[in-house]
């Protein structure tokens, strides 16, 4: 995430921004501040919403396993 995104290409860039969200966490907010774009803001907000939704889903699935009752 510390390196500029242009040094990665193809499948590696896809992996960094999807499977390992280091690009979204480390690079996209900085790039948004340096060069504002509504599309980048939308991508950042959608990725945050996706991570939040995934975390809530995983939490409640795990809670089903351990709740008494």
């Amino acid at each position: 995430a510390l390196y500029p995104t242009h040094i990665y290409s193809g499948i590696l860039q896809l992996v960094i921004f999807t499977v390992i969200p280091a690009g979204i966490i480390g690079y996209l907010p900085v790039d948004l501040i340096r060069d504002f774009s509504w599309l980048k803001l939308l991508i950042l907000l959608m990725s945050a919403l996706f991570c939040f939704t995934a975390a809530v889903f995983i939490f409640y699935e795990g809670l089903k396993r351990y709740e008494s009752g």
Side-chain angles (χ1 to χ4, degrees):
L2 299 176
Y3 297 106
T5 57
H6 67 274
I7 65 171
Y8 304 115
S9 63
I11 192 75
L12 187 57
Q13 193 172 15
L14 180 69
V15 168
I16 287 176
F17 279 98
T18 56
V19 178
I20 307 169
I24 294 171
I25 293 168
Y27 180 75
L28 195 57
V30 173
D31 190 44
L32 186 65
I33 292 171
R34 288 183 181 168
D35 184 29
F36 182 80
S37 165
W38 288 105
L39 179 61
K40 291 177 190 174
L41 180 63
L42 181 65
I43 291 170
L44 184 63
L45 292 175
M46 293 302 291
S47 63
L49 181 65
F50 174 76
C51 289
F52 176 76
T53 305
V56 169
F57 176 76
I58 291 169
F59 174 77
Y60 282 111
E61 286 300 309
L63 190 61
K64 286 179 188 176
R65 173 180 272 199
Y66 294 107
E67 71 182 354
S68 61

